[in-house]
Amino acid sequence: MREKITVIGSLNYDIVLKIPRLPECGETLPADSAVFSPGGKGANQAVQAAKLGVPVHMVGCVGDDGHGQILLEAARRYGVDTEHVRRCKEPTGMGIINAMEDGSVFACIVRGANFAVKKEDIDQAKEILKDTFLAVLQMEIPQEINCYAIEKAKEWGCKVLLNAAPAEEIPLDYLKMCDIIVLNEVEAGFYLKIDVKNEKDARKGAALLAETCGSDIIITLGKTGAVVSEGGKVTFIPSRKVEAIEATGAGDSFIGGVGYALKSGKSLTDACRFATCCSAVTVCRMGAQDAMPFLEEVMELEKQR
Ligand code: RIB
């Protein structure tokens, strides 16, 4: 039986600035604090699944620099196998995140080494992927490579979860190959060309995307919750109510949680219920990977239903 999750995607060195508001043009705004944290959607999702106890492999690139070293060490410390993370001459990717007092975030990324991932990196992970039950991808590596990875992961027998973030046009044929597509409200708005602001919009959007792609769809709605379309049945799952401090990586924590729960045999809808507990813990601490919970912490929160 296939046990592994393999994440093909980005690793970023994040700088999270806690600020009271966004600066005006021409203004220099003092930040309340700065946190340096291992991040990148791919690495975050890998770390969350590994922290929950799944055997996780990561495929990607970091620079041959200090940040790259920090990211590799963090991923390994949390249990991610980084044998297929290649070091390259491009600088390690970065995330610059402005975190507001209400927990919302405004982020930019520097692609750097993430854009050095090649088809050969996917080919070299063939044996791992042949033993993988869930391949997890995002959109922070070149799209051509992502599409190749989707194709290969399917060919080698994996279930494919695509977190189509950051939003970018992608050929429908590749979306149709994905078993599960995960979007937040902003990304859902981009792909659907409609406003996705609440449960009602997300239900409509998930149903529409499910019909178009033939995939299961998850639309996350931040502190409101998530809508999941599984086999055409659309369900709303409310978020756990917590005192959020900072939301970087909350969506990645959710996806890592979905991966763990699917591996434990849960349905996608129940996996999303479990995943809301993961992201609820993550938003209560600063940064991405360091903020993500271990299994015991999630179980503790689950008991409080
Ligand atoms: O999803 C959060 C992540 O997006 C951050 O860690 C940042 O690096 C960007 O990739």
Side-chain angles (χ1 to χ4, degrees):
M1 193 168 103
R2 293 176 181 230
E3 293 284 317
K4 297 180 175 54
I5 289 181
T6 299
V7 179
I8 301 164
S10 59
L11 301 96
N12 289 336
Y13 185 82
D14 285 353
I15 299 177
V16 184
L17 300 178
K18 191 92 184 168
I19 51 173
R21 59 175 173 80
L22 289 173
E24 305 277 334
C25 176
E27 181 190 11
T28 301
L29 180 76
D32 297 332
S33 64
V35 168
F36 305 90
S37 165
K41 294 187 193 305
N44 292 346
Q45 293 167 18
V47 162
Q48 178 61 92
K51 276 180 142 180
L52 295 168
V54 187
V56 181
H57 290 252
M58 175 92 209
V59 180
C61 282
V62 292
D64 201 5
D65 49 22
H67 288 167
Q69 191 58 32
I70 290 169
L71 297 187
L72 285 173
E73 281 169 14
R76 288 176 192 146
R77 189 169 63 243
Y78 290 129
V80 177
D81 187 310
T82 59
E83 192 196 335
H84 290 280
V85 180
R86 184 166 55 82
R87 302 202 74 165
C88 63
K89 64 176 178 11
E90 288 79 1
T92 296
M94 289 187 81
I96 311 292
I97 292 132
N98 292 300
M100 316 300 279
E101 269 160 7
D102 66 358
S104 57
V105 293
F106 295 79
C108 290
I109 51 167
V110 183
R111 289 162 161 173
N114 295 310
F115 258 51
V117 180
K118 297 184 171 62
K119 289 183 180 172
E120 294 80 68
D121 294 310
I122 312 300
D123 294 339
Q124 272 164 22
K126 179 176 176 178
E127 290 315 310
I128 301 292
L129 282 157
K130 281 188 155 180
D131 193 27
T132 290
F133 91 97
L134 184 68
V136 177
L137 300 102
Q138 317 74 34
M139 311 266 277
E140 290 187 330
I141 62 170
Q143 187 175 121
E144 187 200 349
I145 310 303
N146 236 16
C147 291
Y148 181 75
I150 291 171
E151 216 169 82
K152 288 293 164 188
K154 288 308 290 178
E155 184 184 321
W156 297 330
C158 312
K159 202 179 183 49
V160 172
L161 180 154
L162 174 67
N163 174 210
E168 191 188 317
E169 292 299 348
I170 176 167
L172 184 59
D173 285 352
Y174 287 98
L175 292 178
K176 284 183 173 172
M177 281 185 221
C178 300
D179 299 277
I180 306 165
I181 300 170
V182 187
L183 308 161
N184 68 15
E185 60 268 64
V186 176
E187 294 140 8
F190 173 89
Y191 291 106
L192 287 157
K193 317 273 183 266
I194 57 167
D195 268 356
V196 179
K197 300 262 182 243
N198 51 36
E199 179 192 336
K200 190 170 161 229
D201 301 340
R203 279 180 175 275
K204 191 169 138 201
L208 201 63
L209 270 176
E211 203 183 301
T212 311
C213 305
S215 321
D216 288 338
I217 307 290
I218 301 170
I219 299 180
T220 58
L221 296 165
K223 60 184 175 211
T224 308
V227 164
V228 52
S229 166
E230 180 177 16
K233 182 171 185 285
V234 180
T235 308
F236 171 69
I237 295 158
S239 283
R240 292 307 192 104
K241 298 294 162 235
V242 289
E243 289 295 317
I245 290 180
E246 195 269 305
T248 307
D252 302 327
S253 174
F254 184 95
I255 290 169
V258 165
Y260 163 82
L262 288 177
K263 203 211 133 224
S264 323
K266 286 192 197 294
S267 68
L268 183 62
T269 307
D270 283 342
C272 289
R273 288 197 178 94
F274 174 86
T276 55
C277 295
C278 298
S279 44
V281 178
T282 300
V283 298
C284 293
R285 307 194 270 237
M286 286 289 283
Q289 294 170 24
D290 298 333
M292 292 173 179
F294 291 96
L295 186 58
E296 307 73 59
E297 294 171 273
V298 187
M299 298 294 223
E300 203 46 50
L301 185 59
E302 265 212 310
K303 274 194 231 147
Q304 293 166 24
R305 267 183 203 289

